[in-house]
Amino acid sequence: MTTIQLSTVIKAPIQIVFDYSRNIDTHQQSANKTSEVAIAGKTKGLINKGETVTWRGKHFGLYLQHQSIISQMELHTYFVDEQLKGHFKSFKHQHFFEEKNGVTIMKDVMEYATPFGILGTCFDLLFLKKHLNNFLIQRNNYLKLQSEQKSLQTSHFKLI
C-alpha cells in the first residue's frame, strides 16, 4: 500500500474550496494534461455522497478508465472517493478541509495498491507515485487559483 499526503493552503472560505474540489467540471479543467473526461455516472456539477463517476484519461500513453464512488461525505469538511472499477488493486482518496484564520487548509490522503505483485510494486516506485503526486499538485494548484479568484469576486461584491 502506497500513501501520498499533501497539504494546500488556500485563501478562500471552506465552502468555496470544498465545492470546487468535488466539482466534476473543475476536475476536468485541472486534469487537462491527461485529457480526463467524465464519461458515465455524474458527469457535470457537484458530486455527492453515493454518486459515482467514471473517468477516462491518458496516463503513461494509454487511455484508462477509473470508476469511483463518493463513499463518505461531511459537508464542507471531508469526503472520500474510492475506486469501484479500474486498474488499481485498491484506491482510496480522502479529502480533508479545515478553516483557520481566514484560510482553508486542504489535505489529501491518497492510498492505493497496485496489482501484479513485484512488477506492480516496481512500477509504483519508479513511475506511478511520482505521477500521482504531480497530478495532485497540479489539481490542487488549479483548485487554489479558482477558489481564491471566486473568494475575491465574492468579497468584492460585498464591498459594493
Side-chain angles (χ1 to χ4, degrees):
M1 179 80 62
T2 302
T3 302
I4 297 172
Q5 296 185 45
L6 292 175
S7 184
T8 307
V9 177
I10 303 173
K11 296 176 185 174
I14 196 169
Q15 297 88 345
I16 290 173
V17 178
F18 185 83
D19 284 347
Y20 271 121
S21 69
R22 65 189 179 107
N23 188 301
I24 301 293
D25 306 300
T26 302
H27 180 85
Q28 290 177 135
Q29 293 161 0
S30 74
N32 61 2
K33 285 186 181 178
T34 56
S35 304
E36 285 211 6
V37 179
I39 60 169
K42 184 76 173 178
T43 59
K44 295 200 176 298
L46 300 177
I47 193 165
N48 291 296
K49 183 178 179 181
E51 293 182 322
T52 64
V53 59
T54 301
W55 297 103
R56 182 175 188 265
K58 192 172 189 177
H59 299 269
F60 303 106
L62 302 170
Y63 280 98
L64 304 172
Q65 289 187 22
H66 176 97
Q67 182 187 45
S68 60
I69 186 169
I70 303 302
S71 60
Q72 298 175 48
M73 182 179 285
E74 296 295 326
L75 273 181
H76 309 302
T77 60
Y78 179 71
F79 74 93
V80 179
D81 63 90
E82 295 187 70
Q83 175 185 277
L84 292 175
K85 294 178 189 171
H87 293 278
F88 292 95
K89 190 173 180 181
S90 66
F91 181 94
K92 180 178 181 179
H93 184 181
Q94 298 177 82
H95 308 256
F96 298 89
F97 304 85
E98 183 180 5
E99 195 168 20
K100 285 185 179 179
N101 302 320
V103 300
T104 298
I105 300 154
M106 180 175 72
K107 294 181 183 174
D108 292 276
V109 178
M110 181 185 283
E111 301 170 302
Y112 63 90
T114 55
F116 310 119
I118 190 72
L119 292 176
T121 301
C122 288
F123 180 74
D124 184 32
L125 291 172
L126 293 172
F127 306 106
L128 184 59
K129 184 175 183 180
K130 182 178 179 181
H131 174 74
L132 290 174
N133 192 69
N134 289 339
F135 183 86
L136 281 178
I137 289 169
Q138 178 183 339
R139 174 189 171 274
N140 289 358
N141 287 339
Y142 188 82
L143 290 173
K144 177 180 174 73
L145 178 68
Q146 294 301 308
S147 296
E148 289 177 351
Q149 286 179 349
K150 177 74 169 183
S151 179
L152 284 173
Q153 291 170 355
T154 304
S155 63
H156 175 73
F157 286 123
K158 288 180 183 176
L159 295 174
I160 295 176

